[in-house]
Amino acid sequence: MDLVALAAEAYVYGYPLVRGLSVVEGAMYTGYGPLPPTPFNHFAHADRPVPPDTPFVSVGDDTVRSVAHLDLSGGPVLLHVPGQDSAYRVLQFVDVWTDNFAYVGRHCPTGTRAGDWLVVPPGWAGRVPDGVLGVIDAPTSVVTVVGRSGAERVSAFQEQLTVTYVEPGTHRTGLPAPDPDVPEPLRFFEQLRVWMADFPPSAPDRAYQDRFQPLGLLEEGASPYVRADPVLVRALTEGAARGGARVEEADRADAVRAGWVMQPHLFDYNLDHHGVGTIDSPEWRIADREASYLTRAVAARSALWGVHGYEAVYARALCDAGGGRLNGAHSYVLRFEGRPPAEAGWSLAAYDGAAYDGAAYGMAGYDVAGSRIGESLAGRVPAYAEDGSLTVRVQRERPDDPVAAVNWLPAPDGDFRLVLRLCAPGAGILDGTYGLPAVERVR
């Protein structure tokens, strides 16, 4: 048996679990970005859009976040959701394996109506309280709720988001702890072993992970990695490196080509749990289960806790239409033939460098009514041409022409990337028939 190859498979399979729960753990003790440290079953609220160097944000966002990590080990919780009058507002539910399994918002049967939702743990069979809008069945006993709101009237919405217990019970105050005596090179596999046992996946995934028995990942009780055999240590170490390289390579496979890279189906790896507000149909599921594990790892690496394409889509460009690397030494023009097909708004942003944690440099965003969302370019509304088109100039210096200056997106020094965010995208985005504007270098 090739233990190195097996360890690489285990790394790809388990990376989303370890990555996601590591961020959950950090949320409780250190917080992230504008979100303060917050215990289980409480919301942490941002008062501004989360910057792109925050661990769970890959491309920046012009929505304001509210995040709660729910622990259901002591029983269900009641989530109160106020009425949602924003152009875009959704609560996304993610299990510890990073599967999006429910959305409360425009796609759920109750729409944006105010009320209470009962969030229940796996296997729960208690009485549903009277008056709730519905039940959200969680696939794992810890879930993350990510609220995304437009910037308008967000404070009032956040104040009314509450989590309450409905049954007496003891809830966790932290995650199951890996053995501290495990050597650092094996820490990933120890975290995977402990968390995989405490948060079992779906039955088909459990059948798949049985193959990892020779790696010690199914061992219960004392850790097999404290005094592991040197052969196993070498296999795990080399396998982790190989698996990490596989994820990185898959993540960056399209990033160097000219034009835009858009992945509206990046989050289609959830094959087993489709609850309230999700679209449970073949076009939103990856057909090959084993292939879905690599896609899931790529999503966890580059866009942790991102949403399905029918909620929002991001397109990124590292190169201009001629294949040249985007760089602040040059000037670029993008011409939109009309407003992009996005019902709840869109934004264009420039980020320093090609890395996923590049700092935001500027953002231009407009909703379908022409008003700004997030941080607009210089706080100005767009200047549309008589034919309905919109031309955006991306460069370091402010254009001399006053019309061009209104639609100016400042570019960083050096290499940068563009990100186009499309919220509640239309069919043209999802089926690829809408042509994204070419990034034309003009000097």
Side-chain angles (χ1 to χ4, degrees):
M1 176 180 294
D2 187 344
L3 288 181
V4 175
L6 190 64
E9 286 184 28
Y11 183 93
V12 172
Y13 172 81
Y15 177 83
L17 178 69
V18 175
R19 164 93 164 115
L21 283 180
S22 295
V23 176
V24 169
E25 196 166 51
M28 291 188 288
Y29 301 113
T30 61
Y32 34 61
L35 299 173
T38 308
F40 277 131
N41 299 323
H42 291 78
F43 270 100
H45 300 296
D47 59 2
R48 62 189 185 280
V50 180
D53 57 351
T54 300
F56 70 91
V57 178
S58 64
V59 293
D61 204 339
D62 41 30
T63 57
V64 180
R65 301 296 177 92
S66 298
V67 178
H69 304 292
L70 305 182
D71 172 63
L72 308 173
S73 61
V77 298
L78 206 59
L79 175 65
H80 178 73
V81 181
Q84 303 177 37
D85 57 356
S86 171
Y88 182 71
R89 192 164 279 163
V90 66
L91 292 177
Q92 166 200 5
F93 293 76
V94 194
D95 71 13
V96 298
W97 292 90
T98 70
D99 287 333
N100 296 320
F101 66 91
Y103 297 99
V104 170
R106 61 202 311 270
H107 283 111
C108 74
T110 58
T112 58
R113 185 151 53 95
D116 295 327
W117 290 87
L118 187 68
V119 188
V120 305
W124 183 80
R127 187 185 72 83
V128 177
D130 296 334
V132 300
L133 291 176
V135 176
I136 296 174
D137 292 295
T140 54
S141 60
V142 165
V143 299
T144 294
V145 182
V146 182
R148 291 173 168 84
S149 302
E152 69 278 9
R153 296 182 295 278
V154 68
S155 296
F157 177 80
Q158 291 176 334
E159 289 172 0
Q160 298 177 66
L161 273 176
T162 60
V163 178
T164 56
Y165 301 121
V166 295
E167 294 178 351
T170 302
H171 290 260
R172 294 183 183 93
T173 57
L175 294 173
D179 192 318
D181 294 327
V182 171
E184 185 59 33
L186 303 185
R187 178 171 172 78
F188 172 89
F189 290 100
E190 172 65 0
Q191 290 174 310
L192 179 57
R193 182 188 74 88
V194 171
W195 291 340
M196 198 164 65
D198 212 65
F199 304 107
S202 64
D205 284 356
R206 284 199 300 273
Y208 176 85
Q209 71 187 27
D210 284 346
R211 70 183 65 199
F212 302 136
Q213 177 68 56
L215 302 175
L217 284 172
L218 304 185
E219 296 292 328
E220 298 180 359
S223 173
Y225 305 128
V226 174
R227 286 177 290 275
D229 183 276
V231 173
L232 180 59
V233 172
R234 184 168 60 253
L236 293 175
T237 304
E238 294 180 10
R242 187 183 298 181
R246 186 180 302 166
V247 175
E248 182 175 357
E249 181 181 1
D251 188 17
R252 299 185 183 278
D254 295 325
V256 296
R257 75 184 187 198
W260 294 95
V261 175
M262 186 167 60
Q263 298 169 295
H265 294 283
L266 181 61
F267 296 93
D268 292 1
Y269 50 79
N270 176 12
L271 307 181
D272 303 301
H273 301 286
H274 295 88
V276 170
T278 61
I279 299 178
D280 184 7
S281 59
E283 65 266 32
W284 295 105
R285 287 196 301 269
I286 295 174
D288 186 328
R289 182 173 291 271
E290 290 195 24
S292 75
Y293 299 142
L294 180 58
T295 302
R296 183 176 67 178
V298 168
R301 178 184 186 270
S302 64
L304 182 65
W305 302 341
V307 294
H308 278 96
Y310 47 80
E311 282 291 337
V313 171
Y314 297 85
R316 69 185 188 274
L318 300 179
C319 301
D320 60 34
R325 187 70 178 84
L326 297 180
N327 189 282
H330 306 295
S331 178
Y332 306 90
V333 166
L334 293 81
R335 186 179 189 275
F336 294 86
E337 297 302 327
R339 290 185 175 89
E343 295 180 22
W346 65 276
S347 65
L348 179 67
Y351 296 102
D352 183 23
Y356 287 106
D357 58 357
Y361 198 81
M363 183 174 291
Y366 312 100
D367 66 14
V368 292
S371 63
R372 72 191 189 191
I373 56 175
E375 299 172 7
S376 75
L377 41 82
R380 296 176 175 85
V381 296
Y384 288 95
E386 291 184 0
D387 62 0
S389 65
L390 174 65
T391 300
V392 177
R393 182 175 292 270
V394 184
Q395 62 186 42
R396 284 182 302 178
E397 306 84 8
R398 180 186 180 87
D400 294 329
D401 179 80
V403 174
V406 170
N407 296 333
W408 167 52
L409 180 63
D413 293 329
D415 290 347
F416 68 91
R417 60 193 172 99
L418 290 173
V419 174
L420 180 65
R421 176 178 176 268
L422 302 146
C423 199
I429 296 296
L430 300 179
D431 63 21
T433 57
Y434 174 80
L436 297 177
V439 185
E440 301 285 354
R441 176 179 160 182
V442 294
R443 67 166 175 80

